[in-house]
Amino acid sequence: MVDSTYWLDLGTPAAFVRGSADLVLGRAPSPAIPGRCGDRLVLPTATVAPDAKLAGGTVVGEGRSSPRARGSSAARSCRGR
């Protein structure tokens, strides 16, 4: 039997960042992620500049994003994957 469960050693700061991005991107599905997954997760208390492009599993919490943020966005359902 082969187990295809997501696993990542979070022993370094870089690995922790990668794991966080994987949650947002839907590579590690979790009911802990609110809403839809995709290139970014923008929480309801966040304000994002209209010209900002967020990518790579970026999370924006309370506050504002920089208009210099780069990337693209694509949403898909995180749940049930």
Side-chain angles (χ1 to χ4, degrees):
M1 175 179 214
V2 176
D3 186 355
S4 62
T5 304
Y6 178 91
W7 184 89
L8 179 65
D9 180 353
L10 299 176
T12 66
F16 182 80
V17 170
R18 177 180 169 195
S20 297
D22 285 350
L23 283 169
V24 174
L25 293 166
R27 294 179 184 148
S30 170
I33 300 297
R36 301 175 66 83
C37 66
D39 283 341
R40 77 223 184 292
L41 172 61
V42 179
L43 300 179
T45 57
T47 303
V48 178
D51 59 339
K53 296 186 192 276
L54 308 174
T58 300
V59 176
V60 181
E62 185 172 349
R64 298 179 178 272
S65 73
S66 166
R68 288 175 276 192
R70 309 192 99 158
S72 63
S73 64
R76 62 190 182 277
S77 175
C78 275
R79 297 196 169 104
R81 292 178 31 151

